[in-house]
Amino acid sequence: MTRMRESAITEIHKKITEAFEVFDHECNKTVDVREIGTIIRSLGCCPSEGDLHDMIAEVEEEEPTGFIRLEKFLPMMTRVLTERRYRPIPEDILLRAFEVLDQNKCGHLTKDELVKYMTEEGEPFTQEEMEEMLSAAVDPETNNVRYKDYISMMVVDEN
């Protein structure tokens, strides 16, 4: 392994460990399994729920304890980051997706349309996810989602 690659891996390990430690409330190098999705997303990855379950299964103990140990999480997450898996969807693709849903081509969706699409199509949002999205996306005065504005808020900076 080259020095450059070793240095990059060291940086990735540091980033993963720091994100993990935010949720390691007991300071014993373990986190509640329910926090793993948040940790993974904080590292810039956007796995589907199915992929997230697979990732958790990979790092869980033989007899699940409800906790994930850093020593098992670190190699899996290092591999995910070095392979650049689960990258966020680019802004132009998000925009095209919203435009397909915007049948009237008016630049917005109503709150009801958004709820219908996000809870009945594809991988449905949970009630909590829907409420979180609506609180960020819906203009309280018009009850609409101006999706260009919402997309610019959502997009993850790759740097």
Side-chain angles (χ1 to χ4, degrees):
M1 205 175 343
T2 66
R3 275 212 191 296
M4 179 76 163
R5 179 139 167 79
E6 283 176 25
S7 162
I9 297 292
T10 301
E11 268 310 298
I12 289 170
H13 281 182
K14 182 175 179 237
K15 194 170 155 182
I16 294 167
T17 302
E18 286 172 357
F20 192 92
E21 286 173 347
V22 169
F23 295 93
D24 181 6
H25 304 299
E26 304 295 320
C27 300
N28 62 358
K29 300 202 181 312
T30 66
V31 295
D32 187 305
V33 68
R34 294 169 296 190
E35 303 288 6
I36 291 296
T38 304
I39 296 167
I40 290 170
R41 289 182 190 97
S42 79
L43 292 165
C45 296
C46 302
S48 69
E49 284 301 308
D51 290 330
L52 182 58
H53 285 290
D54 291 346
M55 295 165 85
I56 289 170
E58 184 180 331
V59 297
E60 261 185 326
E61 300 299 319
E62 299 276 332
E63 295 290 320
T65 61
F67 291 90
I68 302 296
R69 292 181 301 137
L70 177 61
E71 68 190 62
K72 293 193 86 167
F73 182 74
L74 190 61
M76 180 275 297
M77 201 62 219
T78 300
R79 193 173 64 253
V80 165
L81 291 178
T82 55
E83 292 172 3
R84 300 184 59 78
R85 292 176 29 211
Y86 312 117
R87 304 309 307 153
I89 297 170
E91 189 169 351
D92 61 321
I93 293 174
L94 285 172
L95 179 59
R96 284 202 304 262
F98 273 105
E99 287 171 344
V100 166
L101 299 176
D102 179 11
Q103 295 168 348
N104 299 329
K105 306 293 177 232
C106 54
H108 69 267
L109 298 173
T110 67
K111 177 182 175 183
D112 292 340
E113 288 171 325
L114 186 65
V115 169
K116 178 182 180 298
Y117 292 132
M118 301 311 285
T119 58
E120 297 176 14
E121 306 288 333
E123 192 173 306
F125 274 38
T126 64
Q127 182 71 32
E128 185 181 342
E129 290 168 330
M130 198 68 247
E131 287 169 8
E132 192 174 322
M133 181 179 192
L134 293 174
S135 72
V138 175
D139 177 337
E141 290 177 21
T142 63
N143 226 21
N144 291 331
V145 177
R146 300 204 54 78
Y147 50 82
K148 284 183 182 171
D149 297 339
Y150 180 62
I151 290 168
S152 62
M153 273 187 345
M154 280 187 351
V155 174
V156 176
D157 186 4
E158 289 284 319
N159 298 321

